[in-house]
Amino acid sequence: MKPYDIRSYTDGYEIYEALESSTESWFKIAPERGGIVISYGTGGEELLYLDKATFYDEKANIRGGIPVLFPISGQLAEGAYTWKGQAYKMSNHGVARTSPWTVESTDTTDGASITLTLSSNEDTKGSFPFDFLLRFTYRLKEGVLTIDQEYHNLSGEEMPMYPGFHPYFAADRKAIAYETDATRYFDYNDHQEKPYEGRVIDLDQLPESVVFLDAKQREITFSPREQTVIHLTYGDEFRYVVLWSVAGKEFICVEPWMAKTDELNRGDELTLVPAGGILKTTLAIGRKQA
C-alpha cells in the first residue's frame, strides 16, 4: 500500500480525496463547490459535520465541511459597504465559498497535497472590485490537515480583506470548555464583553456567535466528543476565533478569522495587501490524544 494517495470521482460534483494509510487519515474536497473540504478524518474517525442536502443543492449555502471565507468573514451591515466612494453589495462571508476553484496540482511526495486556485472574474468584481489570485494548498501529513494560503493582490492599489475559515466539527455535546489563552470574549447574543477563565460555553443556549478577543497564542483546543480532542493552530493574521452552532444540530463551528464581523465598514483592523503583493499564512487542524 502506498503511504499517500490522491484520487478523484464524481458525487454530484467532482471530488478529490487525499489519503494517508499509516494514520488512517483522509480529506475530501470539492473544487467547483467553493473549494470546500467536505470530509476530514484521522485514526479512522470523521471529524467534520456535513449536511449533504445543502452540499448537493447548488443554490444552498453549504452547512458543513470547511467553507473558505474571503474577502470577508461574517456579515456586512445591510449586506453592503462603501469603498472609495463606491457602494457594493456582498453576501455573508464573501465570494470565495460560492465560486468554482481550479485544481492546479496534486502531489504525494511529502504528504498528500492538492493545490487549488481562485482568480477574480466579472462575478467577483461585482462585489469586490479587485484583481486577485488565491492559491491554497491542502496537505495531509501525519494525520494533520494543513491549509497553506496565498492571497495575491493583482490590482494596482492595496486590497482590503479579512479572510477566515468556518469549520463545522461533528459534536455530540455543545457545553464544553476551550483551551486558549484568551481572557475575554464578546457575546453577540447580548452584545457584552465578558471575561473568560476556561469555563464551559454552551453553544446550544446561544443562537448568535461569541468571539475570543485577545488570545496571544494562535492555537485552540477543544473536545466536541468524549474521546475526540481537536487542536487548531493558525497564522498570526488570524486575530480572533468565533464559536457558533445551531440548537439541536450535531456540530460546533470553531472559526479562525482575521477580523470581526462588518470590519469592511468599520475599517479598524483591515488587512491591506499592497498592490502586486502577496500575503501568506496557514491553518492546521489535527486530533490530539484524549
Side-chain angles (χ1 to χ4, degrees), residues 4 6 16 22 27 57 84 132 193 196 245 248 265 272 289:
Y4 302 106
I6 295 173
Y16 281 74
S22 64
F27 73 85
D57 182 353
K84 295 191 174 180
F132 64 81
E193 186 176 305
Y196 187 71
S245 188
N265 282 312
L272 298 171
Q289 291 296 326

Side-chain angles (χ1 to χ4, degrees), residues 99-114:
S99 298
W101 293 57
T102 299
V103 177
E104 182 177 81
S105 63
T106 64
D107 188 77
T108 56
T109 57
D110 183 28
S113 67
I114 301 171

Side-chain angles (χ1 to χ4, degrees), residues 186-205:
F186 187 83
D187 188 338
Y188 282 101
N189 294 273
D190 58 13
H191 294 274
Q192 298 293 315
E193 186 176 305
K194 301 175 180 179
Y196 187 71
E197 299 171 344
R199 67 180 179 82
V200 166
I201 296 176
D202 187 354
L203 294 180
D204 248 351
Q205 305 303 315

Side-chain angles (χ1 to χ4, degrees), residues 60-195:
N61 289 326
I62 300 170
R63 181 152 288 182
I66 309 178
V68 176
L69 315 183
F70 172 89
I72 67 169
S73 300
Q75 305 172 343
L76 296 172
E78 308 298 329
Y81 69 100
T82 299
W83 186 256
K84 295 191 174 180
Q86 179 68 44
Y88 300 92
K89 292 186 177 296
M90 189 184 298
S91 299
N92 294 356
H93 300 312
V95 302
R97 68 180 183 137
T98 56
S99 298
W101 293 57
T102 299
V103 177
E104 182 177 81
S105 63
T106 64
D107 188 77
T108 56
T109 57
D110 183 28
S113 67
I114 301 171
T115 297
L116 304 184
T117 60
L118 172 65
S119 295
S120 52
N121 52 55
E122 290 307 308
D123 287 339
T124 65
K125 285 184 178 181
S127 296
F128 187 61
F130 297 90
D131 293 309
F132 64 81
L133 170 70
L134 308 185
R135 178 177 287 112
F136 285 15
T137 296
Y138 296 80
R139 177 176 287 102
L140 183 64
K141 185 177 181 180
E142 298 177 355
V144 175
L145 172 60
T146 301
I147 308 172
D148 291 327
Q149 307 140 56
E150 298 179 3
Y151 301 88
H152 296 247
N153 179 10
L154 307 181
S155 301
E157 60 179 303
E158 61 186 11
M159 180 177 74
M161 66 173 196
Y162 48 106
F165 291 91
H166 198 312
Y168 288 72
F169 295 101
D172 59 14
R173 56 188 180 184
K174 308 285 189 70
I176 59 177
Y178 296 82
E179 293 181 31
T180 172
D181 68 349
T183 65
R184 297 178 293 117
Y185 69 95
F186 187 83
D187 188 338
Y188 282 101
N189 294 273
D190 58 13
H191 294 274
Q192 298 293 315
E193 186 176 305
K194 301 175 180 179

